[in-house]
Amino acid sequence: MSSKFAAPKGVSEYLPPRSVIFDYICRGLRIPALAAGYELIELPIFEDTELFTRGVGTSTDVVSKEMYTFEDRAGRSLTLRPEGTASVIRAVIEHGLDRGALPVKLFYQGPFFRAERPQAGRYRQFYQFGIEAIGSDDPYLDAEVISIAYHGYRKLGLKDFELQITSLGDSESRFTHRRDLDSLISRLDLDEETSQRAQKNPLRLFDDKREEIRIAMSSAPLLLDYLSKESRENFDQVKAALDSLQIPYRVNPKMVRGLDYYTGTTFEFVHKGLGAQSAIGGGGRYDGLMEVLGGSKLSGIGFGLGIDRILLALEAEAKSGQSLPGELRYVDLYVIGLGDKARSKCFTLVDSLRKEGFVVEQNFGNRAIKGAMKAADKSGARFTIVLGDRELQSESVGLKEMSTGAVTSVRLDALAKVLAEKSSGLKKI
Ligand code: HAM
């Protein structure tokens, strides 16, 4: 009988064995952030709707079309978080985190919600790993943030991606550019909807896939050519710092980020094996956001990496010949007990081996040996032991290496030592 219930349309969910890769990604991405002194922040899944309308901007698709907004029982308007930056800044202001050492360096991970049209790599509930660094405008910090994302991807074994960067400059740079861009756009013959989009944010037209708009925009002025002296020097410093770490990048002056708070350095990581939803992460500087949300005038920079798309990217690379990184599901030993006395001994043996750091599974349900061996096989364990009355008496077992079938006789009290020589236990995971 099929289940009456199915998960809501467009949400991503992860079951074994893919959930093992998901977990591997989450743990891998943290390592470079922890190495740079970033600390965990756990944020609410829903916030005041106004936090996002003010923080992310009403001209964005995220706010104008994609928010899951609802009223609570007291009539407050709440929204499932579509992104993490506005919440981090809200928490920094609310709890005065910016009164301590600067920059405040935080990382977060969890589900986010956007009511988008679902397709491969685009979900209504998706997962991000993100960091935010608040309280310094040093270009080295821009490069540090970008390097943390880059090293995170590399740590996972991803290869086939490109870092694209640009600068949105300061408000003076953006003002002169916008004047010229508006003037070009006003000469185009646009339909009502596109014209309204362009009025809200003309940069969006660079992202329009329609042929006639692409042709019209090919001669449009680029913000990079309008950078003030200070903004240009700042961007040059960011690029030089990336060069010094040998992090490859391409300057993409037509990059369009979907959120309104960006200023200065912005960047995106694009994977080549993913088709339309190819951005596996993105971020940038947001100089005015703290003030807009009622805090002090501090600058910040951060990124959000799409865990769902990173998983698809790892799978795409595995398909094109590279193996999925490491042996992701790892079991050192499967223990089969035959008979009441042996099962009781096995139960405590398994417990003590686990405490020593081995990954150990055991057989349940007092099955016959044939079924138990099948379960051992399925578990993917490297070794199996069978303990019956005979083994109990001799206090030794046959340690069977599952890949070769080779059996070595091992005394029970030496089992941990022998296993330690042959496998690396939990350290491997
Ligand atoms: P974003 O570019 O909107 O930035 O999202 C970051 C990443 O999340 C994207 O590159 C993509 O990998 C993933 N993502 C976004 N929407 C979806 C979706 N519907 N389904 C699957 N994956 C998705 C932000 O959210 C900013 N808060 C990042 C940031 C932090 N900027 C500064 N600090």
Side-chain angles (χ1 to χ4, degrees):
M1 200 177 75
S2 67
S3 157
K4 186 164 160 271
F5 297 108
K9 189 173 169 209
V11 303
S12 60
E13 54 182 0
Y14 295 96
L15 319 173
R18 280 181 102 224
S19 56
V20 181
I21 312 175
F22 183 92
D23 186 39
Y24 163 84
I25 295 170
C26 298
R27 280 182 287 123
L29 292 178
R30 275 174 183 231
I31 294 169
L34 288 169
Y38 286 71
E39 291 175 300
L40 176 70
I41 182 165
E42 266 307 336
L43 297 160
I45 302 284
F46 55 83
E47 299 261 11
D48 257 343
T49 300
E50 207 188 332
L51 176 68
F52 301 118
T53 50
R54 275 222 252 164
V56 177
T58 45
S59 85
T60 62
D61 281 355
V62 169
V63 166
S64 64
K65 298 190 195 152
E66 298 170 356
M67 294 211 297
Y68 282 102
T69 298
F70 59 97
E71 261 190 19
D72 73 2
R73 284 157 204 258
R76 297 179 202 96
S77 179
L78 299 171
T79 293
L80 297 183
R81 60 184 189 183
E83 63 101 51
T85 312
S87 301
V88 171
I89 300 298
R90 192 265 309 137
V92 167
I93 299 169
E94 183 177 344
H95 304 290
L97 299 186
D98 54 328
R99 289 197 294 262
L102 296 178
V104 182
K105 296 191 294 185
L106 301 164
F107 74 85
Y108 53 91
Q109 186 222 302
F112 293 87
F113 307 85
R114 296 182 192 175
E116 303 201 69
R117 209 151 37 81
Q119 63 180 86
R122 188 162 76 187
Y123 308 113
R124 292 180 171 172
Q125 174 174 327
F126 59 97
Y127 296 84
Q128 276 188 9
F129 170 81
I131 73 170
E132 310 293 346
I134 298 133
S136 167
D137 55 11
D138 188 335
Y140 275 115
L141 181 61
D142 301 37
E144 175 180 286
V145 165
I146 294 173
S147 78
I148 289 170
Y150 179 81
H151 292 315
Y153 294 128
R154 297 292 299 166
K155 186 119 216 129
L156 300 177
L158 269 187
K159 294 189 180 75
D160 212 8
F161 65 89
E162 180 183 67
L163 163 62
Q164 300 180 1
I165 59 171
T166 191
S167 171
L168 300 179
D170 49 24
S171 50
E172 179 198 330
S173 323
R174 286 192 298 280
F175 181 79
T176 32
H177 172 253
R178 175 135 190 190
R179 198 190 47 207
D180 288 4
L181 186 59
D182 280 345
S183 139
L184 174 122
I185 289 172
S186 68
R187 281 179 266 127
L188 301 178
D189 183 21
L190 298 174
D191 59 83
E192 184 55 28
E193 197 196 322
T194 314
S195 157
Q196 274 188 6
R197 243 161 41 99
Q199 266 167 31
K200 282 185 183 166
N201 182 354
L203 293 179
R204 293 273 147 72
L205 289 202
F206 281 115
D207 216 15
D208 203 303
K209 304 280 182 298
R210 284 171 294 179
E211 183 71 9
E212 65 276 17
I213 309 258
R214 279 206 352 242
I215 292 169
M217 291 304 283
S218 64
S219 58
L222 297 172
L223 181 43
L224 262 193
D225 298 327
Y226 285 72
L227 293 191
S228 63
K229 184 167 173 285
E230 209 179 308
S231 292
R232 171 151 298 286
E233 280 171 6
N234 185 287
F235 190 46
D236 287 344
Q237 284 171 315
V238 175
K239 287 185 291 181
L242 289 173
D243 291 337
S244 74
L245 299 180
Q246 287 167 347
I247 293 179
Y249 57 84
R250 180 168 74 81
V251 175
N252 175 7
K254 294 187 174 174
M255 183 195 307
V256 184
R257 303 276 304 125
L259 311 161
D260 271 357
Y261 47 62
Y262 291 117
T263 59
T265 310
T266 49
F267 54 93
E268 236 165 37
F269 289 88
V270 174
H271 195 271
K272 293 168 189 147
L274 287 189
Q277 304 306 316
S278 59
I280 53 172
R285 214 166 242 295
Y286 40 85
D287 281 348
L289 185 58
M290 274 284 274
E291 259 187 311
V292 164
L293 296 178
S296 54
K297 200 171 177 318
L298 285 179
S299 172
I301 177 162
F303 63 63
L305 313 184
I307 295 171
D308 312 79
R309 291 186 194 169
I310 294 172
L311 202 160
L312 292 171
L314 283 170
E315 288 174 337
E317 291 196 7
K319 242 184 233 154
S320 66
Q322 295 169 31
S323 56
L324 266 177
E327 274 178 82
L328 289 175
R329 187 173 200 284
Y330 191 79
V331 180
D332 290 305
L333 181 69
Y334 195 95
V335 175
I336 299 170
L338 298 177
D340 290 347
K341 250 196 182 153
R343 289 193 74 212
S344 153
K345 169 73 189 165
C346 282
F347 193 65
T348 52
L349 175 70
V350 165
D351 186 64
S352 65
L353 287 172
R354 285 177 185 160
K355 282 179 189 146
E356 294 205 35
F358 298 104
V359 184
V360 187
E361 287 197 40
Q362 59 187 330
N363 172 46
F364 291 109
N366 211 1
R367 267 190 279 210
I369 179 75
K370 205 168 149 208
M373 281 310 286
K374 249 195 201 154
D377 232 4
K378 270 200 191 147
S379 77
R382 244 191 104 189
F383 298 99
T384 299
I385 57 171
V386 180
L387 212 107
D389 290 337
R390 196 150 47 97
E391 285 79 11
L392 266 184
Q393 228 169 24
S394 66
E395 291 183 8
S396 66
V397 282
L399 183 67
K400 180 174 176 186
E401 177 142 24
M402 299 302 275
S403 61
T404 61
V407 179
T408 334
S409 177
V410 179
R411 286 194 55 78
L412 271 180
D413 55 12
L415 188 57
K417 196 168 151 268
V418 174
L419 273 180
E421 281 161 15
K422 291 179 185 280
S423 68
S424 46
L426 276 173
K427 274 181 250 125
K428 175 114 186 175
I429 303 180

